Amino acid sequence: MSSPNGPVYQTGMNTVSDYSTNHLAHTLRAGSVGREDALCVDLHDRGLRLPFGAVFALAERYANALVAQGVAPGDRVMVQAEKSVEVMAVYLGAVLAGAVFVPLNTGYTARELEHFISDAEPTLVVCDPAGEAVVRGLAKGAVLTVAADGAGTLAEAVGRAGEGFAVVPREADDLACILYTSGTTGRSKGAMLTHANLASNAETLRDYWRFTSDDVLIHALPIFHAHGLFVAMNVSLNAGNAMIFLPKFDPDTILRLMPTATAMMGVPTFYTRLLAHDGLMREVAAGMRLFVSGSAPLLAETHREWTARTGHAILERYGMTETAMNTSNPYDGERRPGTVGHPLPEIEVRVVGEDGTPLAAGEIGGIEVRGPNVFKGYWRLPEKTAEEFREDGFFITGDLGTISEDGYVTIVGRSKDLIISGGYNIYPKEIEGLIDDLPGVNESAVFGVPHPDFGEGVVAAVVPRTGKTVDPDAVRAALAGELAKFKQPKAVVILDALPRNTMGKVQKNALRDEYVGLLAQ
Ligand code: MLC
Ligand code: AMP
């Protein structure tokens, strides 16, 4: 089997090692043992269909290539590259080699990248050929490239690597991944996920959502965040089901392929965009058994419209980078619109008051989580980690919610100053810091308002210095090269002053109310 651009995929396995000694590798391989010829990934855009045998043979070759680049157990392997089976193989290769996989959003700019590279100190960075010069200027370790079609120096390194790999033993508590998540301070923190965090969540979700080797999942999410990587990919590998692996979300392609699939996972924007498409009809979804939504609130209205159009009730679940998935609506039973369902098995969820005391059913408070899914802490930030955990091990999510008498969790807001746009998290502090440094700017406040496509969209309110004027277009232009596109304000408004309460704190709620319709079309 070969792709038009060179990389060669073998069909057979030549495993010389035992996956059972590596906690996560064992879980990810579990669904395909003895089923090497079964379809693992359908790379529709490249006309390639790779069975499990080929994918794990590739992963073993990649593991050899990583080791040849100097990657030792515990070392970080960072990836900022377009979604491809090669990136999937770097992930699996890193797991097999006992390394720590660190994926990055492909939208991050050089400025953003600098922090990730200096913080994670990766032994190897895999990036898009277009980004190589920038990465080489920042990275101390090795740099390899991979394009969306698999071409690049990574393919060459893998071509030189041997087949079969002696899988590096890893325990439950060893690190498997670091995922960066922004914070209220404006500085991204690396969430350390262990082998057991990821393995337990994959197994739990497989059972809860009834994934089996008969499933075919539409995988249109990016694989640099928890949803596409830990939920969609890990569950599929663990269950041994095929994935239709799409480079990005495209409603035409998804609707064309839906009759060949059984399940899809997406952010709410996937569902609203599909609902806006004439091609979404009951017959197209007739063979589907499950639609999962998460990463951002799904409007109850979208839930109901979807049921009316397709006959399927979307199953909404709730998770975080730090915890993978926490709650889910039931597979059987009522999938209640506007709620995120019940705590998953072995995971405890509580709602507490400001002093940390658990509240009664129906009362609104902070959502806290404890269980095998909850991360080990923030990379090299022990104090920050300590702040986010209670003494009894519960993690403080920063989400506000309630739990009903019959156990359904509803998220009603956030205590953290966070905007979620199209499933991506944006912390205003980072954007405010950049705007405040612009010439003529006195201060700024960044907040989210309803956006018809992305749920929330970013708006910046900017106050010029006395006697100065600030041009909104100049603000947007200045941010363009600094921030990933999804973080850039969709609108900039110029104000004489920011609304403040008596304590002097900026009232973002007042700004949100004032500009609630600004991005509505
Ligand atoms: C793209 N743009 C966005 C955006 N995505 N702006 C704000 N928010 C977003 N999410 C920008 C583009 O750069 C472009 O800017 C313009 O908006 C239009 O882009 P598009 O072509 O319409 O966007 P598209 O490429 O189709 O992407 C939209 C999307 C994508 C919804 C498919 O954002 C996406 O895949 N989101 C999923 C994110 C995800 O996986 N989240 C999980 C996190 S894990 P311009 O200037 O060029 O016009 C997590 C835990 C959990 O949260 O619980 O799961
Ligand atoms: P992230 O940091 O990208 O992992 O985003 C996690 C945050 O996304 C959570 O803390 C929630 O605020 C939000 N989130 C995830 N799933 C849902 C959901 N189903 N409904 C509402 N918010 C969600």
Side-chain angles (χ1 to χ4, degrees), residues 356-435:
T357 316
L359 299 177
E363 290 191 75
I364 295 176
I367 299 178
E368 301 188 346
V369 182
R370 183 168 69 180
N373 57 319
V374 175
F375 76 137
K376 200 170 179 167
Y378 295 109
W379 173 251
R380 293 180 176 165
L381 294 172
E383 283 165 19
K384 187 73 200 158
T385 302
E387 275 171 28
E388 312 268 324
F389 279 92
R390 300 274 179 203
E391 270 176 14
D392 57 5
F394 272 87
F395 172 63
I396 304 166
T397 65
D399 290 309
L400 299 175
T402 61
I403 306 180
S404 67
E405 293 283 357
D406 57 356
Y408 281 80
V409 177
T410 301
I411 298 172
V412 300
R414 301 161 202 144
S415 60
K416 51 196 174 190
D417 188 14
L418 164 71
I419 300 164
I420 304 184
S421 181
Y424 288 136
N425 282 13
I426 300 159
Y427 278 86
K429 187 87 180 166
E430 181 187 8
I431 308 171
E432 289 161 358
L434 289 169
I435 297 177

Side-chain angles (χ1 to χ4, degrees), residues 243-263:
M243 289 180 274
I244 301 176
F245 208 61
L246 301 171
K248 66 175 291 219
F249 175 80
D250 172 53
D252 288 329
T253 309
I254 287 179
L255 289 169
R256 189 158 43 81
L257 297 174
M258 200 175 275
T260 68
T262 64

Side-chain angles (χ1 to χ4, degrees), residues 129-143:
E132 185 179 5
V134 168
V135 172
R136 281 200 185 278
L138 298 170
K140 292 203 177 79
V143 178

